[in-house]
Amino acid sequence: MDMLWNGWGDPAKAAPLPEAVTGLLRDLLGVKPRSTPAPGLEDIRPPAPTAAPAALRALAAAVGDEHVRTDAESRVRHTRGKSTPDLLRIRAGDVTDVPQAVVLPATHDEVLAVLGACAAHGLAVVPFGGGTSVVGGLAPQRSAFIALDLRRMNRLLDLDPVSRTAVLQPGLRAPEAEALLAGHGFTLGHFPQSFEWATIGGFAAARSSGQASAGYGRFDEMVLGLTLATPEGTIETGRAPRSAAGPDLRQLILGSEGAFGVITSVTVRIRPLPEVRVYEGWRFGSFEEGAAALRRLAQDGPRPTVLRLSDETETLIGLAQPDAIGADPAQGGAGCLAIAGYEGTAEDTAYRRERAAAVLTDCGGTSAGAEPGERWAHGRYSAPYLRDALLDVGAFAETLETAAFWSRVPELYEGVRTALTDTLTRAGTPPLVMCHISHVYENGASLYFTVVSAQGEDPVAHWTPAKHAANEAVLAAGGTISHHHGVGTDHRDWYVREAGPLGVSALRAVKRRLDPEGLLNPGVLLPTD
Amino acid sequence: MDMLWNGWGDPAKAAPLPEAVTGLLRDLLGVKPRSTPAPGLEDIRPPAPTAAPAALRALAAAVGDEHVRTDAESRVRHTRGKSTPDLLRIRAGDVTDVPQAVVLPATHDEVLAVLGACAAHGLAVVPFGGGTSVVGGLAPQRSAFIALDLRRMNRLLDLDPVSRTAVLQPGLRAPEAEALLAGHGFTLGHFPQSFEWATIGGFAAARSSGQASAGYGRFDEMVLGLTLATPEGTIETGRAPRSAAGPDLRQLILGSEGAFGVITSVTVRIRPLPEVRVYEGWRFGSFEEGAAALRRLAQDGPRPTVLRLSDETETLIGLAQPDAIGADPAQGGAGCLAIAGYEGTAEDTAYRRERAAAVLTDCGGTSAGAEPGERWAHGRYSAPYLRDALLDVGAFAETLETAAFWSRVPELYEGVRTALTDTLTRAGTPPLVMCHISHVYENGASLYFTVVSAQGEDPVAHWTPAKHAANEAVLAAGGTISHHHGVGTDHRDWYVREAGPLGVSALRAVKRRLDPEGLLNPGVLLPTD
């Protein structure tokens, strides 16, 4: 099944907004229904490929004729990712970033052969996993490029139950990977919001972080080994969980977003399938109070497997439990809602849950019982579908995220919220800005913001200044430009400031060594020369 | 106080071997007393510096006259590190690796100024923390170099009790850092065997791992931010505990062993001082049985703070508790001795200790009570002193370490042990080879080997083939060439094979960008051009 071409996910799961929400959007934010009908997929006609026939023949020689696709639908489906500007552009029929062809290799050696063919014919290469980038990670700054779709590389290559490691191919979607591991009694434990569609290779390339990161860790913490195919050859890394043999090459490949090479296998840490999964709600009087409670659990334990906290606005609107949106407003409720989840053995989850409950109570929290937790779990992958419904009725909705050390989190929260609110209000479309703490660490936390407003005349142009203002606020408050979405093209200019000129220069030296002709995702992560 | 110039540590702590051990060495290994007396420090006369007076003036301009030392004692004290070959060489009066001068900067800017002066005058630079490298990390492949001693950069620059972070200067020795943090109620929790002498900068540059790594993590896991001074300028990194903003630059600097730049500050994670510290012994019938028990705790918990297991030979000899060596043999005892330690709050340590005891018992272990744990804790930094005593009586003693995924650990253990035993036996000096699991992870473990034998005619030449055979065995068994000692010059050729030609090439591209003239630790970590 393919993802909805101009929105998110399984087309069968699309659902219109409840009437109450449409009314709220109209009355509160001035959202007006769209006047122009959106084009259908069949209406979108990208320009014919300009790649030389010899280039296409070379690609076919690398992967087989049937795995080089130049039809309009394949090309449109590989145009950009799934940020709101991406969706708005494709819904407007804008295919300026369409690939010349979609190429589907089946092996590491086929990837090397494709890179060779592209080098020979001057084509850039955009590695394409689930296509779920929300930061412009699939929009290279070169007109002639191919999308390297890794979906045929979708096998579990090895599983070592003693070491608790598995070797996965990059094109495996997360549910496929989980199903394969579950067949052996294991789980990866990586459940980001993009879970249904995103791939193992994408998680590694973009340093994904899942909703259960408090318990299972971030994806970059799960990775023990990587194979990278580059135009200059192959890098294989990871002979031990940890090593003092030089800089950690794994951590140079993780987060490289296809700019250094194509990840062709990933060795991950796996864990036994949990006996028990339980999620529950806690209420706090304020975001500050709730944040202090989360910090205490993150620093002193016991650590839940899932731990998140919505601010007052997100709690009120009910986005803390997407399924509850538009239901009885009491479902949202006052104060701030936190979700704490526990996965593991029966004994361990019982112990952690009981001890964490004592800590949360001591920090001013009140148990809201299992229902908010179960609602959250049921709706944990729903938000992108909700965004489609909002776009459909003429609203604008987008998310962004960052992280900082705990002492800077309040400043980061206020700074980003103010930047978004002020910029969009000045533009005549006052927004709803909601936020939650989505991931916690001993030393800091991430903040995940959701913005909803009217679209304005030109919805992409309407959003850009607000997004830029938010990026500035992130840097000003000492935060990182992305905690788990990545850099792509959207964050690149701020990333360059965050990493500093010499840091960026060191990474460009790596890129030049591995990709001397600059074929790989040009302009993504690092500026082009 | 300075470290013993031709051995380890505080000269006042040197202790001769018990008579029983000397007898054992003689009878079992054929160790003969040394016939030539060792030279004194005053007998060692390094060649006069060849650096141009203008170079020394430029260095003095960078740090002040009194912080450029060219006297013989300072230079001899900064010659090489503390591997056994290093000690044997300096005891033989070999000062071929002596620096031209010892330069002591006080600030990041002074480090930059020193690098500028060295670039202008063609001097290489060896960053020098505690001088405790055991892998040739202080023996550059250039004759004209300075030792950049960081001892004046020994301040706690910042402590954030909310985020639980501290900013430390690189020249702080671990006990000094712990004392400064303890003044605020915190600890770093990093206790490697080199604890008394090694520095914060060295821990970062060489990816140190401490004896309490099961609880506190490795040093590279504690590092949240770094400042690096290079000939091309400064890199500052670390705005959040974790980030998806590109490759992790911190992990490119960690393990760079002074070859990319000089680490001038380190932001670390800190934890509250533990209320309770308790260490205890457990006995297992075999190394295999004990390793399975450690694996189960590492994978399923509860995780002790300290967790280690000596093999049969190490247990028998008593090296599991260095203070017990030469005491009643029953102190060593049969089977394999494990040490499990717990640090934290009273409640948490009690819970973990009780649960871990149930797991260890279930895995076939028998409690040996608190005494072996307390003995281990008391002697935890003693082994290098013991080595000096062994060298003094004409024995050879050296250590090496590696790590692999759990399923490869038995092969790694057998392979390295056999390589060491066979090579030294063939050379006419059959060794005692002892081993312990020193660090555990969910997915693997490290092995730490100790070798004792007679010295042979030329003790360095005697050891080299055995060390090389061990390195080959490590790679053959899928292990990493170093789990926590680092690469230096001793492991470099094997590291190059482990990282692979393209991986090494990518790192050399970074080095060329940051250190285009190759001033920094030439030949350490990476081969020179």
Side-chain angles (χ1 to χ4, degrees), chain B residues 333-358:
Chain B
C336 290
L337 180 66
I339 303 293
Y342 305 88
E343 301 184 9
T345 63
E347 185 188 354
D348 176 59
T349 51
Y351 175 77
R352 283 191 291 146
R353 189 179 175 194
E354 183 192 322
R355 291 284 317 285

Side-chain angles (χ1 to χ4, degrees), chain A residues 160-165 206-207 218 220-221 224 230 232-236 238-249 251-252 254-257 260 269 271-272 295 299-300 347 351 355 403-407 441-444 474-475 478-487 495 498-499 502-503 505-507 509-510 513-514 525, chain B residues 160-165 206-207 218 220-221 224 230 232-236 238-249 251-252 254-257 260 269 271-272 295 299-300 347 351 355 403-407 441-444 474-475 478-487 495 498-499 502-503 505-507 509-510 513-514 525:
Chain A
D160 175 351
V162 172
S163 305
R164 293 194 182 169
T165 60
R207 291 188 178 270
R218 295 165 57 85
D220 53 19
E221 293 168 327
L224 301 165
T230 84
E232 294 289 294
T234 299
I235 294 180
E236 275 189 275
R239 295 169 72 92
R242 292 286 180 268
S243 167
D248 192 340
L249 283 173
Q251 298 289 335
L252 188 62
L254 293 162
S256 63
E257 301 192 3
F260 290 174
R269 162 176 97 192
R271 290 187 175 164
R295 177 164 70 88
Q299 292 184 333
D300 295 328
E347 186 188 352
Y351 175 78
R355 293 283 318 285
F405 295 113
W406 281 112
S407 60
Y441 303 93
E442 279 182 70
N443 309 105
V474 164
L475 292 196
T480 176
I481 198 64
S482 175
H483 170 267
H484 59 274
H485 284 170
V487 174
Y495 169 61
E498 178 174 335
L502 194 57
S505 193
L507 295 176
V510 172
R513 178 62 191 85
L514 302 179
L525 183 66
Chain B
D160 174 352
V162 172
S163 305
R164 294 193 180 168
T165 60
R207 290 187 177 271
R218 294 165 59 82
D220 53 20
E221 295 168 327
L224 300 165
T230 85
E232 295 289 292
T234 299
I235 293 180
E236 276 190 274
R239 295 169 71 91
R242 291 288 178 270
S243 167
D248 193 339
L249 283 173
Q251 298 290 335
L252 188 63
L254 292 162
S256 64
E257 301 191 3
F260 290 174
R269 161 177 98 192
R271 290 187 174 165
R295 178 164 70 87
Q299 292 184 333
D300 295 328
E347 185 188 354
Y351 175 77
R355 291 284 317 285
F405 295 114
W406 281 113
S407 59
Y441 304 93
E442 278 181 72
N443 307 107
V474 164
L475 291 195
T480 176
I481 198 63
S482 174
H483 170 266
H484 60 273
H485 284 169
V487 175
Y495 169 60
E498 177 173 336
L502 194 57
S505 194
L507 294 176
V510 172
R513 178 61 191 85
L514 302 178
L525 183 66

Side-chain angles (χ1 to χ4, degrees), chain A residues 117-165:
Chain A
C118 287
H121 295 278
L123 285 168
V125 179
V126 177
F128 195 103
T132 61
S133 171
V134 291
V135 293
L138 305 167
Q141 293 187 333
R142 276 270 277 278
S143 54
F145 68 92
I146 63 157
L148 188 74
D149 189 318
L150 298 159
R151 70 178 65 188
R152 292 175 65 217
M153 296 178 72
N154 63 352
R155 291 192 302 134
L156 168 65
L157 296 177
D158 188 41
L159 189 143
D160 175 351
V162 172
S163 305
R164 293 194 182 169
T165 60

Side-chain angles (χ1 to χ4, degrees), chain B residues 212 216 274-282 303-307 339-354 356 369-377 380:
Chain B
Y216 291 100
E275 290 170 20
V276 172
R277 284 191 180 97
V278 55
Y279 311 108
E280 58 194 16
W282 285 83
R303 186 75 77 92
T305 309
V306 171
L307 190 58
I339 303 293
Y342 305 88
E343 301 184 9
T345 63
E347 185 188 354
D348 176 59
T349 51
Y351 175 77
R352 283 191 291 146
R353 189 179 175 194
E354 183 192 322
E371 211 247 341
E374 294 308 319
R375 257 183 190 279
W376 168 80
R380 63 195 293 183

Side-chain angles (χ1 to χ4, degrees), chain A residues 9 19 62 110 124 140 175 179 190 193 228 264 286 303 311 327 367 374 418 468 494 510 518:
Chain A
E19 191 57 44
E110 286 190 9
H190 187 64
Q193 199 172 69
L228 186 75
T264 58
S286 69
R303 185 75 75 95
D311 72 355
S367 170
E374 295 309 318
T418 302
H468 289 188
W494 290 266
V510 172

